[in-house]
Every structure is written in C-alpha cells, then in structure tokens.
Amino acid sequence: MKFTLNWLKEHLDTEASLDVIVEALTRVGLEVEGVENPGEKLAAFRIARVLSAERHPQADKLQVLSVDAGDGPLQVVCGAPNARAGLVGVFGMPGATVPSNGMVLKVAEIRGVESNGMMCSTRELELGDDHDGIIELPADAPVGTPYPSYAGLDDPVIDVSVTPNKQDCMGVRGIARDLAAAGLGTLKPLAQVYRADAIVPVAGDGPAPDVRTDDPEGCPAFYAQGVSGVTNKAAPEWMRRFLTAIGQKPISALVDITNFVSVDLGRPLHVYDKAKLVGGLVARKAKPGEQVLALNGKTYTLDETMTVIADDVAVHDIGGIMGGEHSGVSEGTADVLIECAFFDPDHIARTGQKLALTSDARQRFERGVDPAFLDDGLAIATKLVVDHCGGTPSAITRAGQPPLTPRVVAYDPARAETLGGLAVPPARQKDILERLGFTVDGAWNVTVPSWRRDVDGSADLVEEVIRIEGIDKVPSVPLDRIPGVAKPTATPEQKLERRARRAAAARGLNEAVTWSILSEAEAAPFGGGTWSLANPISEDLKVMRPSLLPGLLSAAARNLKRGADGVRLFEIGRRYLADAERPTLGVVLAGERNAKSWASGKATPFDAFDAKAEALALLAAAGAPVDNLQVMGEAGDAWHPGQSGTLRLGPKTVLAAFGMVHPLTAKAYDLDGPIAAVELYLDAIPPKRASGFMRPAYTPPALQAVKRDFAFTVPADLPADALVRAARGADKAAIVGARLFDLFERDGVRSMAVEVTLQASEKSFTDEELKAVADKVVAAAAKLGAVLRG
C-alpha cells in the first residue's frame, strides 16, 4: 500500500515530521517497507524562461535559445518544435542527470554551437509520455525555483505492508485514523477532505439505472448512479500527481477517479460506458463456460461459483476483481454508470484463486470493505465525476441490502493488563477506542465500527489498545512457574549434542541433514548396513546407515560438482548398529582448504592433520578429556591406511575416528582428490561427574615455568604419542606438559626429541629437584625402549 506524505495530510491534520510518522506507522502495526522521495531525482532541474530563440546556423531543426534559470542568460541548443521566446519550462543544469536515460548533462558543442544544459520534456523527466515538445508552464511560474518544489513533486512516497486483518488500512483514510489514534494529529472530517458541506447522495433528476442482484450470497448489495453528458478529459493535476507518485498511470478522468477513491478510501468502484451496455446490469452467478475479456487484455473462462456483472448479452465484469474491456470508458464516452457494490470476501478470494487473477479491487474486497459506505462511496464518486467531467446525475438505484448487523462486544478494561501485559488507564483505553471509531457506553459495551470486520471479541479490543498505546511499553516480566508447568527437560545427552553442534558451526562447518536410509551400494564401503527395510519405497532407500559419512560424502560430491571450491560439512545423527542406535557427529572436509593466492601459491587441500584438529576441538567442546587421549591404529577399511587413526580413552574406548578417506571409498561416492573426515562417537564420551561445588577460579602460577628438552634414540615402531605420554606421566606433580618437537632418521637410527614443561607451585625448583624429575623422564622412556642420546 503506497501513498504520499501530502496525500496522508489531506486526511490527517498533523505537524509531525516524516521520520516521526514512519516510526509511528511501524509502532501501530503498519510496517514501513520503504520511503522514497521522487523529487530528489529532479532536484537539479529548475524553472527557466526562454529569453530568445534563434535558428541554429548549421541545422534547420535546431534552435539556439537564451535561457534564464535565475542566474542570468545561458545558451542552450534545443530541437523542440514549441521552443520560443517567452516560454517558461523546465531546464536541466550542467551536472544534472536525466531520469529517463541516466545521461549526465554537461557543457557541449552541438553542430558547432555551445550548449549549457537542456530544456526538458515530460518523458525525459519520467512525468508522462509526451515527447513532442518541451514542458510549458504558466507564464507566472517563478523562474529559478527548483521544479520539484513548484510542481509538488517533493512529496515522499511511503510504502507500508498491510496485514490481512487490517482491511480498514487499505485506504489512506484508514491509515490516517490509526495515526490520529496514536496521537499524531487529528482526523479531518470526510466532508472537509472532499470540499463539501456534507457527504450526501448527489441529487439527480434522471431515471435511475436498471440494476439488480440475483446473487445475494456473492453480491448482497449493488448500488448505481448514472451521469449523462460527461466529458472524459484528463483528471485534475493534483489527482494525476498522487496516482503517478504511487506507480499508477493516469488514464482519463473517469478511470482515475475510481482508482483514486479506491486508494484514498479503500472503496473500489467501477464505471461503465452506458452506450456499450445492452439492457440493465445484473449481479449473478456465471454460467459454466462463460468467458470475459478483462481490462488486462486476457480472456477468462468462468464457472458457476463465480459472481459476475452482466447485461442482457454478455458478462462485463468479474465481480469485485476486474472489469471487462468491452464496456470500459474511452475518450468519447458521454454517458456513464457508476457501480458501488458490496461483494462477499470469501467469494472474492475463491474466484481470484481459481482464475489466478489479482487486482487492487480484489485485495480490498477479499479483506472486506466497509458495507456501510456504499451510499457515501457512490456520493463521493458521483461528485468527483460531475466536478471534473461535468454531466447530469441520475437518481440512485439501491439493489439488495449490505450486511449491517451491528456487533457489540462486552469489554473489561482490566484485560489490557491481564492479557496484554500493560496497565492502561480506562479513560485512555476509551479514548483510543473512540479515536479508532468504536463506540463505548458506560457499561463498557463496545460497538464495533462497520469497517472493522476483524474485531470479534474482547481480545481484539485488547490488541487495539496495546498497539496504539505502544507495544514497546509492555514490560518484559518473567512469568511465574505455576504448578503443572514442566521444568527444562533436556537430558545430558541432548546438552552434549547442543555443545557439539554449536562448536562445529563456530569452527566454520556447515550443518547438513542427510537421509538415515541409504542404498546398499552407499553403505557397502563402511561395512554394509545391519538393518534393511523389508518393503523399501526405493532401492536407494533400503539400508539403515552404519555411518554418517556416506550421506556427507554424497553431499560433498554434489556441492563440488556445482562449483564449490571447498566443502566443510558436519551432521549430528544416529548410526544404526547391530546392538543399538549410536549418536554420532560426522565431518567431511573436501576440496580446497586455502584458495590459491600470491602468498601461498597453489590452493592447498585438506589433510589428516586438519581432520585431527577438528576431532580434538569438537571433543574438547563436548567435554571429553582431550589431554588424556591416545592416538592409536588405523580407523578401518573405509579409511586411508597410514593417514588415519582413532582417538581413544584407554586401549578400548574409542571416542573418534579421523583421517583421510580411502581413495576407493572416495571413488565410490564419485569424489576425486584427498577427502578428510571425522566421526565422533558421542555416546562414548564419559559424562561429567556430578558435583555440588563450583570449580575454583583459575589462578595463574606465581612462578615461571621451566622447560627441559630430551632427545631419545627409539625403536623404529615406537609411536611418538606413546613417548610423549610417558614423559608427561613421569612426574604428575611437577610436569604440566610435554610435546614432540623433532623427529629424524639416519643410518637406520630413529630419534625423537621431547620438550617437557615443569611448573613449581610454592617455590622454585632446586637443581637437585630438576635432576630428579629428569631422571624420572629418562626412566619412563626407557620402559618403551627409548635411550637418552649422548
């Protein structure tokens, strides 16, 4: 729903700024989707007077003009046939951008004559389609004034999103009513808006139109009034300006009046050319197979559930949605019939859905227009037609009866606090409701206005009070837990999965959700599935997955084939083994780890150390004791021998498998190149011990750490991790860390060097204490066959 600021102020008497209005619109539930000022793109164009016009010396169709735009004469070359001395028009200064083509004006020579800008046409400024000549303004137009200010184009356009329950805000007046209720001004009387003493039916002395409704369900009420002897000229400039600003193309006075009333008041209308009708008009159900050529140029086939407006010969209108082309008004129209009908919202919605046809009228009718506004809507439309097109109105025909049953809701002002969470004084609540059009009596029986189809009970009244008072004023108050309301029920296993999921995402991995059921071929590289479906819907969905990696490998292959340079996927799910379902976290790293660059050269792929780093980081986040883990063995047949392993807590408890996927396994999933992967077995991670005491805060040691290096000659088959673990465990009280920092082989002899970190707690180590610790390290290494190098 679009409207301009000045259009809004036709209904709302306010001094509020644009920013305040925009903020208030969103606050009362009319979300502002955008604000645009069309005058900004014309800010560099001024009103100018042509002082003289001489023939161009080198071109018969060009003239050399002397133009005054307020700063003295400028020479301009112009080809417009209507350019002449004394003409007042719109001048584009050098540096201005022409809206129609984006051209930036500059001082240039045209056929050897210097030109300092351009006199503009309406098409060049995107103000119309006329390009036969330059714009001509009244002789008294103020020279030098920016054209947007003079023409009223400096008028911001506000675009709001209207929710389906706010049918009253499908017109500018309804939006103004909400803002007035919110305290941003006063809603002007409708008669004042339309420059009348009162909104009353326009008196007519001709015969009333022959209209009726034979479909009381789809069209309960059909009002009409004729006007004879009209002149269908251009609509008044102010109306064209408003419609153009919101993106509607002005067509003619008769068409523009119906469009204007629809947007201004949320009241769709239709105007027929009486000369194109045969007999009277009737609202009826369509006959199966009937067709109508609509105003959008398309032919629609109708069925017996749809309401149409027809004469004695043909259908002329898809009731409440779109008029027909055959009976539309034209430049030569002399006699018109103005239709103001009420259509059932549900019928409109179903018809629009069947025909896949939308329109401004449908958007309003299917939400529900004001059934009590037929007389007023017809009176306003007839007044505008007579004022701007002339003619003599006829008497009015009122066929049928709109649904006008009043709705009264018993309301308790205390509900604003008990239901809405905000204490609003009863007097303020009454003021809000009355400003919105509700009637409140002394017993708080609230009569709902006819234009508020959405209000059905006291909860709706609470909503009205709270949104106008300000939902931002509702305090954030925690609810008391009453008996019967469950406490948090997440199990330790669920909490562990949450920690692991967040850690994986924080490390830049993208979560995937893959099928738990695989084909036998996909499960085979990982040992095949233990469980198979007896009646699968497809051979591709037959086996319960023995691992999370098949699904992730297939997903990685799809992404790489679609141009992804690097793929980092993870998934938390279940493996289905013979004994149980096992919660697992799977990770696949494929493609480029680092893109090629001037610093690193070629792109680098993932390797087994990347997989190990991910495994250790995720285990640490899950709460596993990573300092006590051992790297052992190869992970299995699906993994690359020598480039894979397991992380264990003791020789039997496997917490994770990591490394490179076997090339044959990768090939089975149509993957090329090195593929790193991880599987974390979440159910194997030991739970934290329950403790009623908080861990003491970390206190940095007061004494400096001491580091000692040890180089050992070791057996060829000794794992480095075993030596590091032996050194770290040699003296648990003094040694806080150990790491391998050197490894080499020469002449069949293998050497490893380990750095050991010692930390004193109360006093510095003596030389004797350091020697004792060193002896313990050497002795622990000797148990593994390692000998200290001399």
Side-chain angles (χ1 to χ4, degrees), residues 353-390:
Q353 290 167 0
K354 286 182 179 180
L355 298 178
L357 176 60
T358 187
S359 67
D360 289 342
R362 175 191 166 184
Q363 289 180 359
R364 287 164 173 81
F365 276 123
E366 72 180 354
R367 282 173 163 87
V369 301
D370 183 1
F373 198 71
L374 273 70
D375 267 320
D376 289 350
L378 186 59
I380 290 170
T382 303
K383 179 181 184 300
L384 290 173
V385 169
V386 172
D387 287 349
H388 301 293
C389 301

mmCIF file of all heavy atoms in Angstrom, residues 353-390:
data_model
loop_
_atom_site.group_PDB
_atom_site.id
_atom_site.type_symbol
_atom_site.label_atom_id
_atom_site.label_comp_id
_atom_site.label_asym_id
_atom_site.label_seq_id
_atom_site.Cartn_x
_atom_site.Cartn_y
_atom_site.Cartn_z
ATOM 1 N N GLN A 353 -8.500 -16.994 -6.629
ATOM 2 C CA GLN A 353 -7.584 -18.131 -6.610
ATOM 3 C C GLN A 353 -7.800 -19.042 -7.815
ATOM 4 O O GLN A 353 -6.843 -19.517 -8.438
ATOM 5 C CB GLN A 353 -7.766 -18.909 -5.313
ATOM 6 C CG GLN A 353 -7.263 -18.172 -4.074
ATOM 7 C CD GLN A 353 -7.735 -18.813 -2.784
ATOM 8 O OE1 GLN A 353 -8.436 -19.814 -2.790
ATOM 9 N NE2 GLN A 353 -7.353 -18.218 -1.656
ATOM 10 N N LYS A 354 -9.053 -19.278 -8.169
ATOM 11 C CA LYS A 354 -9.335 -20.148 -9.317
ATOM 12 C C LYS A 354 -8.811 -19.552 -10.616
ATOM 13 O O LYS A 354 -8.279 -20.272 -11.470
ATOM 14 C CB LYS A 354 -10.841 -20.399 -9.431
ATOM 15 C CG LYS A 354 -11.404 -21.349 -8.389
ATOM 16 C CD LYS A 354 -12.893 -21.576 -8.620
ATOM 17 C CE LYS A 354 -13.489 -22.545 -7.598
ATOM 18 N NZ LYS A 354 -14.934 -22.759 -7.828
ATOM 19 N N LEU A 355 -8.979 -18.245 -10.772
ATOM 20 C CA LEU A 355 -8.573 -17.595 -12.019
ATOM 21 C C LEU A 355 -7.121 -17.147 -11.994
ATOM 22 O O LEU A 355 -6.606 -16.680 -13.017
ATOM 23 C CB LEU A 355 -9.470 -16.375 -12.282
ATOM 24 C CG LEU A 355 -10.965 -16.663 -12.478
ATOM 25 C CD1 LEU A 355 -11.722 -15.366 -12.676
ATOM 26 C CD2 LEU A 355 -11.192 -17.588 -13.669
ATOM 27 N N ALA A 356 -6.444 -17.298 -10.840
ATOM 28 C CA ALA A 356 -5.067 -16.800 -10.676
ATOM 29 C C ALA A 356 -4.999 -15.340 -11.099
ATOM 30 O O ALA A 356 -4.093 -14.907 -11.816
ATOM 31 C CB ALA A 356 -4.087 -17.646 -11.490
ATOM 32 N N LEU A 357 -5.975 -14.565 -10.638
ATOM 33 C CA LEU A 357 -6.111 -13.169 -11.034
ATOM 34 C C LEU A 357 -6.117 -12.293 -9.789
ATOM 35 O O LEU A 357 -6.912 -12.507 -8.874
ATOM 36 C CB LEU A 357 -7.418 -12.971 -11.819
ATOM 37 C CG LEU A 357 -7.777 -11.538 -12.229
ATOM 38 C CD1 LEU A 357 -6.690 -10.948 -13.124
ATOM 39 C CD2 LEU A 357 -9.118 -11.524 -12.948
ATOM 40 N N THR A 358 -5.221 -11.339 -9.766
ATOM 41 C CA THR A 358 -5.188 -10.408 -8.642
ATOM 42 C C THR A 358 -5.344 -8.988 -9.150
ATOM 43 O O THR A 358 -5.056 -8.697 -10.315
ATOM 44 C CB THR A 358 -3.871 -10.539 -7.845
ATOM 45 O OG1 THR A 358 -3.949 -9.737 -6.665
ATOM 46 C CG2 THR A 358 -2.674 -10.100 -8.670
ATOM 47 N N SER A 359 -5.814 -8.119 -8.295
ATOM 48 C CA SER A 359 -6.016 -6.723 -8.646
ATOM 49 C C SER A 359 -6.143 -5.921 -7.365
ATOM 50 O O SER A 359 -6.300 -6.476 -6.263
ATOM 51 C CB SER A 359 -7.284 -6.550 -9.499
ATOM 52 O OG SER A 359 -8.443 -6.854 -8.729
ATOM 53 N N ASP A 360 -6.074 -4.594 -7.490
ATOM 54 C CA ASP A 360 -6.262 -3.754 -6.316
ATOM 55 C C ASP A 360 -7.649 -3.950 -5.719
ATOM 56 O O ASP A 360 -7.825 -3.942 -4.495
ATOM 57 C CB ASP A 360 -6.058 -2.282 -6.694
ATOM 58 C CG ASP A 360 -4.600 -1.956 -6.994
ATOM 59 O OD1 ASP A 360 -3.736 -2.746 -6.579
ATOM 60 O OD2 ASP A 360 -4.340 -0.933 -7.645
ATOM 61 N N ALA A 361 -8.656 -4.123 -6.591
ATOM 62 C CA ALA A 361 -10.017 -4.326 -6.091
ATOM 63 C C ALA A 361 -10.113 -5.630 -5.316
ATOM 64 O O ALA A 361 -10.715 -5.689 -4.237
ATOM 65 C CB ALA A 361 -11.000 -4.329 -7.254
ATOM 66 N N ARG A 362 -9.525 -6.694 -5.856
ATOM 67 C CA ARG A 362 -9.590 -7.981 -5.151
ATOM 68 C C ARG A 362 -8.927 -7.879 -3.784
ATOM 69 O O ARG A 362 -9.450 -8.398 -2.779
ATOM 70 C CB ARG A 362 -8.898 -9.075 -5.971
ATOM 71 C CG ARG A 362 -8.843 -10.402 -5.222
ATOM 72 C CD ARG A 362 -7.953 -11.433 -5.873
ATOM 73 N NE ARG A 362 -7.684 -12.529 -4.957
ATOM 74 C CZ ARG A 362 -6.874 -13.549 -5.216
ATOM 75 N NH1 ARG A 362 -6.249 -13.626 -6.371
ATOM 76 N NH2 ARG A 362 -6.680 -14.490 -4.320
ATOM 77 N N GLN A 363 -7.775 -7.226 -3.701
ATOM 78 C CA GLN A 363 -7.077 -7.119 -2.420
ATOM 79 C C GLN A 363 -7.955 -6.458 -1.362
ATOM 80 O O GLN A 363 -7.883 -6.813 -0.185
ATOM 81 C CB GLN A 363 -5.790 -6.311 -2.610
ATOM 82 C CG GLN A 363 -4.716 -7.043 -3.393
ATOM 83 C CD GLN A 363 -3.461 -6.205 -3.556
ATOM 84 O OE1 GLN A 363 -3.403 -5.070 -3.098
ATOM 85 N NE2 GLN A 363 -2.457 -6.760 -4.208
ATOM 86 N N ARG A 364 -8.780 -5.532 -1.789
ATOM 87 C CA ARG A 364 -9.634 -4.833 -0.825
ATOM 88 C C ARG A 364 -10.907 -5.615 -0.525
ATOM 89 O O ARG A 364 -11.307 -5.752 0.634
ATOM 90 C CB ARG A 364 -9.958 -3.431 -1.359
ATOM 91 C CG ARG A 364 -8.739 -2.501 -1.277
ATOM 92 C CD ARG A 364 -8.867 -1.258 -2.127
ATOM 93 N NE ARG A 364 -7.755 -0.346 -1.870
ATOM 94 C CZ ARG A 364 -6.545 -0.478 -2.416
ATOM 95 N NH1 ARG A 364 -6.302 -1.492 -3.251
ATOM 96 N NH2 ARG A 364 -5.580 0.378 -2.113
ATOM 97 N N PHE A 365 -11.558 -6.140 -1.555
ATOM 98 C CA PHE A 365 -12.812 -6.858 -1.324
ATOM 99 C C PHE A 365 -12.598 -8.153 -0.547
ATOM 100 O O PHE A 365 -13.428 -8.528 0.283
ATOM 101 C CB PHE A 365 -13.506 -7.152 -2.655
ATOM 102 C CG PHE A 365 -14.347 -6.016 -3.169
ATOM 103 C CD1 PHE A 365 -14.115 -5.470 -4.415
ATOM 104 C CD2 PHE A 365 -15.382 -5.490 -2.404
ATOM 105 C CE1 PHE A 365 -14.890 -4.420 -4.902
ATOM 106 C CE2 PHE A 365 -16.162 -4.446 -2.874
ATOM 107 C CZ PHE A 365 -15.910 -3.903 -4.123
ATOM 108 N N GLU A 366 -11.504 -8.881 -0.794
ATOM 109 C CA GLU A 366 -11.329 -10.151 -0.087
ATOM 110 C C GLU A 366 -10.931 -9.932 1.373
ATOM 111 O O GLU A 366 -11.085 -10.819 2.199
ATOM 112 C CB GLU A 366 -10.324 -11.046 -0.808
ATOM 113 C CG GLU A 366 -8.880 -10.636 -0.730
ATOM 114 C CD GLU A 366 -7.969 -11.606 -1.480
ATOM 115 O OE1 GLU A 366 -8.469 -12.646 -1.950
ATOM 116 O OE2 GLU A 366 -6.769 -11.310 -1.608
ATOM 117 N N ARG A 367 -10.408 -8.769 1.706
ATOM 118 C CA ARG A 367 -10.186 -8.422 3.107
ATOM 119 C C ARG A 367 -11.490 -7.977 3.760
ATOM 120 O O ARG A 367 -11.692 -8.211 4.950
ATOM 121 C CB ARG A 367 -9.147 -7.311 3.223
ATOM 122 C CG ARG A 367 -7.695 -7.761 3.065
ATOM 123 C CD ARG A 367 -6.792 -6.534 3.026
ATOM 124 N NE ARG A 367 -5.391 -6.846 3.265
ATOM 125 C CZ ARG A 367 -4.536 -7.212 2.332
ATOM 126 N NH1 ARG A 367 -4.954 -7.327 1.076
ATOM 127 N NH2 ARG A 367 -3.266 -7.470 2.624
ATOM 128 N N GLY A 368 -12.335 -7.316 2.971
ATOM 129 C CA GLY A 368 -13.614 -6.851 3.479
ATOM 130 C C GLY A 368 -13.693 -5.338 3.501
ATOM 131 O O GLY A 368 -13.060 -4.696 4.337
ATOM 132 N N VAL A 369 -14.450 -4.744 2.563
ATOM 133 C CA VAL A 369 -14.630 -3.296 2.568
ATOM 134 C C VAL A 369 -15.782 -2.942 3.510
ATOM 135 O O VAL A 369 -16.527 -3.812 3.972
ATOM 136 C CB VAL A 369 -14.907 -2.769 1.143
ATOM 137 C CG1 VAL A 369 -13.762 -3.110 0.215
ATOM 138 C CG2 VAL A 369 -16.214 -3.316 0.601
ATOM 139 N N ASP A 370 -15.938 -1.667 3.772
ATOM 140 C CA ASP A 370 -16.967 -1.195 4.706
ATOM 141 C C ASP A 370 -18.349 -1.327 4.071
ATOM 142 O O ASP A 370 -18.664 -0.634 3.095
ATOM 143 C CB ASP A 370 -16.680 0.267 5.047
ATOM 144 C CG ASP A 370 -17.655 0.824 6.082
ATOM 145 O OD1 ASP A 370 -18.530 0.071 6.542
ATOM 146 O OD2 ASP A 370 -17.517 2.013 6.420
ATOM 147 N N PRO A 371 -19.222 -2.218 4.600
ATOM 148 C CA PRO A 371 -20.542 -2.398 3.995
ATOM 149 C C PRO A 371 -21.455 -1.195 4.215
ATOM 150 O O PRO A 371 -22.482 -1.062 3.528
ATOM 151 C CB PRO A 371 -21.089 -3.638 4.701
ATOM 152 C CG PRO A 371 -20.379 -3.670 6.017
ATOM 153 C CD PRO A 371 -19.025 -3.121 5.756
ATOM 154 N N ALA A 372 -21.113 -0.316 5.145
ATOM 155 C CA ALA A 372 -21.949 0.854 5.423
ATOM 156 C C ALA A 372 -21.535 2.067 4.602
ATOM 157 O O ALA A 372 -22.096 3.152 4.775
ATOM 158 C CB ALA A 372 -21.887 1.197 6.911
ATOM 159 N N PHE A 373 -20.563 1.884 3.703
ATOM 160 C CA PHE A 373 -20.017 3.035 2.978
ATOM 161 C C PHE A 373 -20.493 3.085 1.523
ATOM 162 O O PHE A 373 -19.958 3.832 0.730
ATOM 163 C CB PHE A 373 -18.482 2.984 3.024
ATOM 164 C CG PHE A 373 -17.805 4.287 2.710
ATOM 165 C CD1 PHE A 373 -17.864 5.343 3.608
ATOM 166 C CD2 PHE A 373 -17.125 4.464 1.522
ATOM 167 C CE1 PHE A 373 -17.245 6.554 3.319
ATOM 168 C CE2 PHE A 373 -16.509 5.667 1.228
ATOM 169 C CZ PHE A 373 -16.569 6.717 2.132
ATOM 170 N N LEU A 374 -21.516 2.317 1.173
ATOM 171 C CA LEU A 374 -21.952 2.298 -0.218
ATOM 172 C C LEU A 374 -22.531 3.643 -0.645
ATOM 173 O O LEU A 374 -22.170 4.176 -1.705
ATOM 174 C CB LEU A 374 -22.973 1.177 -0.447
ATOM 175 C CG LEU A 374 -22.377 -0.198 -0.798
ATOM 176 C CD1 LEU A 374 -21.661 -0.798 0.403
ATOM 177 C CD2 LEU A 374 -23.445 -1.146 -1.305
ATOM 178 N N ASP A 375 -23.430 4.189 0.158
ATOM 179 C CA ASP A 375 -24.023 5.479 -0.194
ATOM 180 C C ASP A 375 -22.963 6.576 -0.252
ATOM 181 O O ASP A 375 -22.928 7.376 -1.198
ATOM 182 C CB ASP A 375 -25.114 5.846 0.808
ATOM 183 C CG ASP A 375 -26.494 5.377 0.347
ATOM 184 O OD1 ASP A 375 -26.782 5.484 -0.863
ATOM 185 O OD2 ASP A 375 -27.269 4.891 1.192
ATOM 186 N N ASP A 376 -22.106 6.623 0.765
ATOM 187 C CA ASP A 376 -21.077 7.660 0.791
ATOM 188 C C ASP A 376 -20.078 7.485 -0.347
ATOM 189 O O ASP A 376 -19.651 8.467 -0.974
ATOM 190 C CB ASP A 376 -20.348 7.654 2.128
ATOM 191 C CG ASP A 376 -21.213 8.179 3.266
ATOM 192 O OD1 ASP A 376 -22.300 8.716 2.982
ATOM 193 O OD2 ASP A 376 -20.819 8.039 4.438
ATOM 194 N N GLY A 377 -19.672 6.236 -0.589
ATOM 195 C CA GLY A 377 -18.725 5.992 -1.672
ATOM 196 C C GLY A 377 -19.288 6.397 -3.018
ATOM 197 O O GLY A 377 -18.602 7.011 -3.851
ATOM 198 N N LEU A 378 -20.555 6.075 -3.257
ATOM 199 C CA LEU A 378 -21.192 6.449 -4.514
ATOM 200 C C LEU A 378 -21.344 7.961 -4.612
ATOM 201 O O LEU A 378 -21.139 8.562 -5.685
ATOM 202 C CB LEU A 378 -22.558 5.761 -4.625
ATOM 203 C CG LEU A 378 -23.312 5.935 -5.945
ATOM 204 C CD1 LEU A 378 -22.498 5.411 -7.111
ATOM 205 C CD2 LEU A 378 -24.663 5.221 -5.883
ATOM 206 N N ALA A 379 -21.688 8.602 -3.492
ATOM 207 C CA ALA A 379 -21.847 10.050 -3.496
ATOM 208 C C ALA A 379 -20.533 10.757 -3.817
ATOM 209 O O ALA A 379 -20.493 11.720 -4.605
ATOM 210 C CB ALA A 379 -22.377 10.515 -2.143
ATOM 211 N N ILE A 380 -19.436 10.286 -3.229
ATOM 212 C CA ILE A 380 -18.133 10.902 -3.482
ATOM 213 C C ILE A 380 -17.714 10.710 -4.931
ATOM 214 O O ILE A 380 -17.242 11.650 -5.594
ATOM 215 C CB ILE A 380 -17.080 10.315 -2.515
ATOM 216 C CG1 ILE A 380 -17.358 10.813 -1.087
ATOM 217 C CG2 ILE A 380 -15.672 10.671 -2.945
ATOM 218 C CD1 ILE A 380 -16.532 10.122 -0.027
ATOM 219 N N ALA A 381 -17.898 9.491 -5.449
ATOM 220 C CA ALA A 381 -17.515 9.232 -6.838
ATOM 221 C C ALA A 381 -18.338 10.080 -7.795
ATOM 222 O O ALA A 381 -17.811 10.667 -8.751
ATOM 223 C CB ALA A 381 -17.682 7.747 -7.147
ATOM 224 N N THR A 382 -19.653 10.172 -7.567
ATOM 225 C CA THR A 382 -20.511 10.967 -8.449
ATOM 226 C C THR A 382 -20.130 12.438 -8.382
ATOM 227 O O THR A 382 -20.088 13.138 -9.408
ATOM 228 C CB THR A 382 -21.979 10.770 -8.060
ATOM 229 O OG1 THR A 382 -22.306 9.377 -8.118
ATOM 230 C CG2 THR A 382 -22.893 11.531 -9.010
ATOM 231 N N LYS A 383 -19.830 12.935 -7.179
ATOM 232 C CA LYS A 383 -19.428 14.339 -7.037
ATOM 233 C C LYS A 383 -18.157 14.616 -7.819
ATOM 234 O O LYS A 383 -18.040 15.639 -8.517
ATOM 235 C CB LYS A 383 -19.216 14.676 -5.561
ATOM 236 C CG LYS A 383 -18.770 16.116 -5.307
ATOM 237 C CD LYS A 383 -18.548 16.367 -3.831
ATOM 238 C CE LYS A 383 -18.192 17.834 -3.567
ATOM 239 N NZ LYS A 383 -16.956 18.257 -4.253
ATOM 240 N N LEU A 384 -17.174 13.713 -7.734
ATOM 241 C CA LEU A 384 -15.921 13.912 -8.461
ATOM 242 C C LEU A 384 -16.152 13.881 -9.971
ATOM 243 O O LEU A 384 -15.548 14.666 -10.717
ATOM 244 C CB LEU A 384 -14.902 12.846 -8.054
ATOM 245 C CG LEU A 384 -14.332 12.958 -6.631
ATOM 246 C CD1 LEU A 384 -13.472 11.740 -6.300
ATOM 247 C CD2 LEU A 384 -13.499 14.237 -6.479
ATOM 248 N N VAL A 385 -17.017 12.983 -10.438
ATOM 249 C CA VAL A 385 -17.305 12.908 -11.874
ATOM 250 C C VAL A 385 -17.970 14.203 -12.349
ATOM 251 O O VAL A 385 -17.588 14.787 -13.370
ATOM 252 C CB VAL A 385 -18.189 11.682 -12.180
ATOM 253 C CG1 VAL A 385 -18.718 11.749 -13.621
ATOM 254 C CG2 VAL A 385 -17.407 10.392 -11.970
ATOM 255 N N VAL A 386 -18.974 14.659 -11.619
ATOM 256 C CA VAL A 386 -19.676 15.884 -12.014
ATOM 257 C C VAL A 386 -18.739 17.091 -11.943
ATOM 258 O O VAL A 386 -18.748 17.963 -12.826
ATOM 259 C CB VAL A 386 -20.914 16.099 -11.120
ATOM 260 C CG1 VAL A 386 -21.546 17.450 -11.386
ATOM 261 C CG2 VAL A 386 -21.930 14.982 -11.363
ATOM 262 N N ASP A 387 -17.894 17.163 -10.884
ATOM 263 C CA ASP A 387 -17.000 18.304 -10.728
ATOM 264 C C ASP A 387 -15.967 18.387 -11.838
ATOM 265 O O ASP A 387 -15.613 19.488 -12.285
ATOM 266 C CB ASP A 387 -16.280 18.232 -9.374
ATOM 267 C CG ASP A 387 -17.193 18.545 -8.204
ATOM 268 O OD1 ASP A 387 -18.321 19.012 -8.446
ATOM 269 O OD2 ASP A 387 -16.783 18.299 -7.049
ATOM 270 N N HIS A 388 -15.461 17.235 -12.289
ATOM 271 C CA HIS A 388 -14.326 17.251 -13.215
ATOM 272 C C HIS A 388 -14.677 16.818 -14.636
ATOM 273 O O HIS A 388 -13.860 17.025 -15.540
ATOM 274 C CB HIS A 388 -13.200 16.358 -12.669
ATOM 275 C CG HIS A 388 -12.712 16.788 -11.325
ATOM 276 N ND1 HIS A 388 -12.035 17.963 -11.119
ATOM 277 C CD2 HIS A 388 -12.841 16.220 -10.094
ATOM 278 C CE1 HIS A 388 -11.740 18.096 -9.834
ATOM 279 N NE2 HIS A 388 -12.218 17.046 -9.179
ATOM 280 N N CYS A 389 -15.837 16.194 -14.817
ATOM 281 C CA CYS A 389 -16.234 15.777 -16.164
ATOM 282 C C CYS A 389 -17.563 16.401 -16.593
ATOM 283 O O CYS A 389 -17.995 16.198 -17.745
ATOM 284 C CB CYS A 389 -16.354 14.246 -16.231
ATOM 285 S SG CYS A 389 -14.838 13.364 -15.815
ATOM 286 N N GLY A 390 -18.197 17.098 -15.676
ATOM 287 C CA GLY A 390 -19.493 17.678 -15.995
ATOM 288 C C GLY A 390 -20.569 16.617 -16.033
ATOM 289 O O GLY A 390 -20.412 15.498 -15.544
#
